[in-house]
Amino acid sequence: MAKNRTVHEAAFRLSYDLSLQIAPELGRLSMKLAPQQLRAMRQIWTKEESTLAELSATLKRDKGQVTRLVDELCSLDMVKRVPNPNDGRSKLLKLTKKGYKFFETIEEIEAEFSQQLTKGISKEDLKVFFSVADQLSENLCNAG
């Protein structure tokens, strides 16, 4: 008798298969960044700017850890701190020209994989997938 599939097994398999396929492409990039650095850059890329507090919440890391991560990205000339016009006590984090160009390449690689990944899946099914994935993530964040 076959066992019922579980959500975490399906999510793990999808994550693992995707990482196996995309890793060689990302490995060809001139700069190797840690996953947390890429997540931080994605947050800044998506919002066009971010604060340390926003990054800390997104990455679910304390402010000290995120400060060190941002310091590393700044030393690599991928991210820069600029004055926050809405709050003189804080800085906004933005991608530098080098960081922007690097992340454009990441987006191109991911777009190719996205086409491969979603081949044969209808827009309606993808909409349901995103809705379910968002709900699963929200449930995980609110657990406990």
Side-chain angles (χ1 to χ4, degrees):
M1 181 168 131
K3 291 185 179 184
N4 290 335
R5 291 184 69 196
T6 62
V7 171
H8 67 273
E9 179 267 332
F12 178 80
R13 179 178 171 212
L14 179 61
S15 175
Y16 183 75
D17 289 346
L18 181 59
S19 68
L20 282 179
Q21 293 296 316
I22 204 167
E25 290 296 320
L26 294 177
R28 293 186 193 135
L29 294 171
S30 59
M31 186 166 299
K32 310 294 186 255
L33 296 180
Q36 288 291 341
Q37 291 172 315
L38 289 173
R39 288 188 66 211
M41 287 184 70
R42 178 170 303 285
Q43 165 87 11
I44 298 166
W45 166 273
T46 301
K47 294 186 72 184
E48 296 184 4
E49 62 189 26
S50 190
T51 65
L52 205 55
E54 290 169 334
L55 268 184
S56 186
T58 298
L59 298 176
K60 297 175 179 60
R61 299 283 187 256
D62 68 57
K63 196 173 177 182
Q65 290 174 311
V66 176
T67 297
R68 288 187 294 280
L69 184 144
V70 169
D71 288 346
E72 290 172 18
L73 290 171
C74 287
S75 72
L76 295 170
D77 192 31
M78 299 297 254
V79 171
K80 63 183 174 182
R81 291 177 171 97
V82 298
N84 184 342
N86 300 322
D87 182 356
R89 299 167 296 156
S90 74
K91 302 279 187 193
L92 293 176
L93 304 169
K94 294 187 174 214
L95 296 182
T96 62
K97 286 181 183 178
K98 180 180 175 181
Y100 191 86
K101 185 174 169 73
F102 178 83
F103 221 80
E104 277 184 327
T105 304
I106 296 282
E107 287 288 300
E108 289 169 9
I109 291 168
E110 289 179 351
E112 289 175 27
F113 278 95
S114 183
Q115 280 187 314
Q116 178 185 350
L117 191 63
T118 60
K119 183 180 174 182
I121 301 173
S122 71
K123 287 183 181 187
E124 294 84 19
D125 285 346
L126 284 173
K127 186 176 178 181
V128 170
F129 170 79
F130 289 128
S131 177
V132 170
D134 289 344
Q135 185 64 54
L136 290 170
S137 183
E138 188 175 319
N139 289 348
L140 280 174
C141 290
N142 293 329

